[in-house]
Amino acid sequence: MSKNSRKIWEDARASIPDLPGRPPDLSEPEYASLMFDVGCQCCETQTRKTIYRFRMRLCPTCLNVHTITYDIIKNGWPSIPQRLMNTMPSYSALPFWRGNQGQTLYIRRLVEDAQHKLEQEELGSQSYDKVLEDICGSLQKLCDMLLKTGKEMEQWSRSQIRARRDENAAVGHQRFQKFIKERIIAAGWKLGDIPRQWRWDTTLNRLMCSPQPMTDRIWKNIYPKLTPYLEQGREARLGEEAEARRTLRKKSIAEYFSEFVEGEIAADPRLSKGSFLDARRLLEIPGVTNIVEATDSKSACRLLWTMTLEQVKRANRIHQEQLVADLQYILKHNPDKPIALSVPLDELDGPIESYSKVSVSDIDFQSPLDFRELALATSAFYCPSSACRQVLWFPAVTEHKCCVKKPYSYGREDKSWLGGRFVIRGMRAARDLRPLILRLLDELGLGPTSTLGQAMDLGDSIMCGRCDPLVAPITTFNELVTHYATEHRWWTIVQPAVGVPSMFPNLPENQALPEFVHTHDISDQSPLVSIVSQEQRTLLQHNQAQDEPRRQALINSLDATEPDADAALFGDLMDPSHLRERRRMCLLCPAGWNHKIIYELDTPRLLTSWLTRRGVVGIGTRT
């Protein structure tokens, strides 16, 4: 190659960005052919498979001629030194963690040359070792050079392929956005008819996003192929639109039913939303289903709803009768494991979970719902959640957050509409609170058959008679019952540990144990409650302001009496993140105050472990 020609080749190569330098074993034309030509170097068959470290671009047939596998080498030359194999340039199409050494490729010419030179020497002789050393040294230098330059050329080639691919994708996307969509709309289709799988369906993507310029002739060729896909897309779009309108009709039914519920509650304030029919069950009423399916509009016909309202009222009354019957069953039997009957949704004779189905023939639909027994102040329930255990009455129990399942929704944007479905499973009657409630009713001047509504009519003017007046809660009737239930539950838990020194491992030996007194024990005949008038409330607020230090002492942390009360009580037994509740209150002791602890353990097993490790004998059980 002349100097002028070499200069032209070098200038052309330098004009290509980031192209690696020419390897020393290739001339300028050979390097350009390896990097830019397409086709086999031997037979000119179309191929792009290039092995840069071998300087080869060969078709499968020619590749078998110019390369040889590891297995063939070992079979034809069993005595080949492994050192020679390690220094010889090699190539594997698979990654190393999946590679098969037997299929590793080697350059046939280099293997045959090395074999010819070594076979001329006697195996094991000094001349053999010297020739082997020379061959391995030259092959190692060649292998290092081929590996380094081949890796650079391969990386550059891959970067060019990625760049062309991204460029073609951008051109194809522009063609789709600018030309294909316009022609599809002009042909009478809608954008929603374009199938969503055009991004990942290879055939469809090739038709719509090809980088070729769009012409009328090309459009005439691809449009008949696109038509079946567009018809499928139109069918899917119409189905989605119909389902969306159906969802809107369901929402309309929900709004109509909400208006019905609000009207019923306004007529009878004793009811709550949780006592009405569940939304899923509402859609199983034949008349309501006909409203949803009768038309294809975006909203349900109000006139049809009015005509179906009697069916809705009947189904809702059956549901309420079953709900009242189930709650009354719990009050009478209080089963630990309630029986849940399997009631299909299309059977509207009762709730999904019920203890015994009511007979529809026994229901008088003309008379109002009779829940006099549930309305009594003594008809209290415990929340089934062990972390809550709140005292509940009807109908508030039907809307309690722990007793209501996840709200039923008609769509993602409509999270709830009636607050969820009340679940009766696990509900328990608060029978142990009946003596307390009866005594509170007697002291409040109410009879044993008084309803919760009559007790609640007293308002938030009821004060606990067992707490220090500076911190005694002034509450409503239901809050006061919960207050006494909480104190009783605390005493049940702490009673086995009373007087046990090991409960306070960090307490000094010469210091007396804290006194635990159950001040809210109803066996004590002292008053439990008192009615606070407005004048008395004002006087209490004045006294609290006058004796603020003592009031703060009553509500301060346990650290007021023990520097590290949590560690003293629990040591390293309880994780700090574990739920616990601490209560302090007056014990009517000479010092003026002391403290109490409420620790709600999730299971009796944890309570047993806690008290046993403290050396407590005769462990009590939770209520």
Side-chain angles (χ1 to χ4, degrees):
M1 180 182 293
S2 64
K3 292 184 179 180
N4 293 335
S5 299
R6 184 181 297 110
K7 179 63 175 174
I8 294 174
W9 283 98
E10 291 176 354
D11 292 343
R13 176 164 51 84
S15 64
I16 301 175
D18 302 327
L19 180 67
R22 178 180 61 85
D25 60 321
L26 296 177
S27 64
E28 291 288 354
E30 291 174 340
Y31 183 49
S33 175
L34 180 66
M35 298 301 293
F36 301 104
D37 280 352
V38 177
C40 178
Q41 293 173 333
C42 296
C43 64
E44 297 183 356
T45 302
Q46 290 295 321
T47 182
R48 293 181 178 273
K49 180 62 177 177
T50 304
I51 304 177
Y52 291 97
R53 67 181 65 180
F54 285 1
R55 312 298 194 242
M56 295 178 181
R57 183 175 59 255
L58 303 173
C59 65
T61 303
C62 296
L63 185 65
N64 292 332
V65 175
H66 292 82
T67 60
I68 186 172
T69 63
Y70 179 87
D71 288 341
I72 296 177
I73 294 174
K74 296 294 288 185
N75 292 333
W77 188 7
S79 61
I80 182 172
Q82 187 62 38
R83 178 185 175 189
L84 179 62
M85 296 292 295
N86 295 338
T87 57
M88 196 169 293
S90 61
Y91 171 78
S92 177
L94 298 175
F96 70 92
W97 62 86
R98 294 179 54 195
N100 183 0
Q101 186 179 11
Q103 300 301 317
T104 303
L105 296 178
Y106 296 85
I107 303 175
R108 185 183 295 272
R109 175 178 54 82
L110 295 179
V111 176
E112 292 176 350
D113 290 347
Q115 184 180 11
H116 177 71
K117 291 179 181 180
L118 289 176
E119 286 181 348
Q120 294 180 357
E121 306 295 335
E122 183 180 356
L123 183 64
S125 63
Q126 293 183 356
S127 59
Y128 180 92
D129 294 339
K130 186 176 183 305
V131 172
L132 178 62
E133 183 70 25
D134 294 341
I135 294 175
C136 290
S138 61
L139 287 177
Q140 185 64 53
K141 292 180 181 179
L142 176 64
C143 183
D144 293 342
M145 186 272 295
L146 292 177
L147 183 61
K148 179 181 178 182
T149 56
K151 185 177 181 180
E152 294 175 352
M153 290 187 289
E154 185 176 0
Q155 290 177 349
W156 183 84
S157 177
R158 289 182 177 179
S159 67
Q160 295 299 304
I161 293 174
R162 287 194 297 268
R164 287 195 298 270
R165 182 185 61 198
D166 295 342
E167 182 181 358
N168 291 338
V171 173
H173 185 70
Q174 183 180 6
R175 162 180 153 164
F176 170 70
Q177 296 291 340
K178 189 174 182 180
F179 300 104
I180 298 292
K181 284 186 176 181
E182 293 180 358
R183 293 176 183 267
I184 289 176
I185 295 175
W189 304 90
K190 293 185 178 181
L191 289 180
D193 298 336
I194 300 176
R196 296 175 181 175
Q197 67 268 24
W198 69 270
R199 296 181 181 273
W200 59 84
D201 188 288
T202 306
T203 304
L204 187 58
N205 186 275
R206 189 182 298 113
L207 291 173
M208 305 182 71
C209 299
S210 174
Q212 296 179 357
M214 174 58 64
T215 62
D216 293 338
R217 183 178 63 84
I218 294 178
W219 174 251
K220 290 180 180 180
N221 291 333
I222 68 173
Y223 181 69
K225 301 176 182 179
L226 285 176
T227 301
Y229 292 101
L230 293 173
E231 291 176 350
Q232 295 176 6
R234 172 183 287 177
E235 184 179 355
R237 174 181 62 82
L238 294 176
E240 292 176 357
E241 292 177 354
E243 184 60 29
R245 291 191 295 271
R246 189 172 186 271
T247 300
L248 292 176
R249 293 195 296 274
K250 290 181 180 179
K251 290 184 178 180
S252 300
I253 294 296
E255 294 175 359
Y256 300 156
F257 188 61
S258 297
E259 295 175 1
F260 165 74
V261 171
E262 292 174 359
E264 292 292 312
I265 294 177
D268 190 352
R270 298 175 299 173
L271 297 175
S272 67
K273 290 184 177 181
S275 61
F276 284 82
L277 192 65
D278 180 67
R280 295 183 304 168
R281 307 297 297 280
L282 179 68
L283 296 177
E284 295 296 332
I285 300 175
V288 178
T289 304
N290 293 336
I291 296 176
V292 175
E293 303 295 343
T295 63
D296 196 33
S297 60
K298 292 185 177 180
S299 61
C301 178
R302 185 178 288 273
L303 178 60
L304 294 177
W305 167 259
T306 305
M307 298 171 60
T308 317
L309 194 57
E310 288 301 323
Q311 297 183 32
V312 175
K313 291 181 178 179
R314 177 181 176 85
N316 184 72
R317 177 60 182 273
I318 297 173
H319 169 80
Q320 291 177 336
E321 290 284 352
Q322 183 64 65
L323 177 62
V324 170
D326 287 343
L327 291 176
Q328 290 176 345
Y329 180 90
I330 294 174
L331 289 175
K332 295 177 181 178
H333 298 86
N334 201 17
D336 293 333
K337 294 183 179 180
I339 304 172
L341 300 180
S342 178
V343 182
L345 289 177
D346 56 353
E347 296 183 12
L348 293 173
D349 291 347
I352 296 177
E353 295 173 350
S354 60
Y355 298 100
S356 57
K357 294 179 63 174
V358 298
S359 176
V360 180
S361 59
D362 296 337
I363 300 177
D364 184 5
F365 292 93
Q366 303 302 322
S367 62
L369 182 65
D370 183 15
F371 47 87
R372 289 174 294 180
E373 184 177 354
L374 295 179
L376 296 177
T378 54
S379 300
F381 301 88
Y382 280 128
C383 173
S385 174
S386 61
C388 179
R389 294 279 289 177
Q390 187 172 341
V391 184
L392 304 168
W393 285 265
F394 181 84
V397 65
T398 61
E399 293 184 314
H400 184 55
K401 62 180 181 179
C402 299
C403 306
V404 177
K405 275 193 174 181
K406 187 177 181 180
Y408 182 78
S409 62
Y410 284 116
R412 292 183 178 179
E413 70 278 2
D414 184 21
K415 298 301 180 183
S416 65
W417 65 290
L418 280 183
R421 179 170 67 90
F422 170 60
V423 180
I424 206 169
R425 184 185 297 274
M427 189 66 61
R428 294 186 58 193
R431 289 187 175 184
D432 55 332
L433 297 182
R434 182 177 175 84
L436 168 66
I437 296 175
L438 290 174
R439 184 170 171 184
L440 290 175
L441 292 174
D442 181 64
E443 294 187 10
L444 292 173
L446 301 174
T449 58
S450 299
T451 64
L452 177 66
Q454 294 173 338
M456 294 297 292
D457 289 341
L458 298 175
D460 57 344
S461 61
I462 305 175
M463 186 176 73
C464 175
R466 299 295 181 85
C467 295
D468 189 288
L470 293 182
V471 293
I474 302 177
T475 64
T476 58
F477 178 80
N478 59 344
E479 293 174 348
L480 183 65
V481 173
T482 302
H483 170 69
Y484 271 93
T486 302
E487 299 301 331
H488 175 69
R489 187 162 64 250
W490 164 82
W491 179 253
T492 304
I493 294 175
V494 81
Q495 187 178 10
V498 174
V500 180
S502 59
M503 284 295 296
F504 298 88
N506 297 339
L507 196 68
E509 295 182 358
N510 57 353
Q511 184 173 343
L513 292 176
E515 182 183 3
F516 289 87
V517 180
H518 187 19
T519 58
H520 289 62
D521 185 4
I522 63 173
S523 61
D524 186 356
Q525 297 304 314
S526 58
L528 299 177
V529 64
S530 61
I531 300 294
V532 179
S533 62
Q534 185 60 39
E535 293 77 8
Q536 293 173 327
R537 188 189 296 267
T538 304
L539 180 60
L540 284 173
Q541 294 176 352
H542 175 73
N543 293 338
Q544 292 175 1
Q546 294 295 324
D547 201 0
E548 183 63 21
R550 182 168 176 266
R551 178 175 178 272
Q552 287 299 327
L554 289 168
I555 62 177
N556 275 342
S557 170
L558 291 174
D559 297 340
T561 51
E562 298 180 26
D564 193 3
D566 285 342
L569 281 174
F570 307 111
D572 58 350
L573 297 180
M574 297 298 173
D575 184 78
S577 62
H578 199 282
L579 294 177
R580 64 171 174 260
E581 181 183 7
R582 299 188 298 184
R583 286 290 179 92
R584 300 118 208 140
M585 55 177 297
C586 174
L587 299 184
L588 306 180
C589 62
W593 73 286
N594 209 320
H595 65 264
K596 290 186 176 182
I597 296 292
I598 292 180
Y599 194 98
E600 272 293 348
L601 294 170
D602 290 340
T603 62
R605 180 182 58 82
L606 290 177
L607 174 63
T608 303
S609 174
W610 178 53
L611 295 177
T612 303
R613 294 181 65 176
R614 290 303 184 195
V616 180
V617 181
I619 300 174
T621 58
R622 287 182 60 186
T623 58

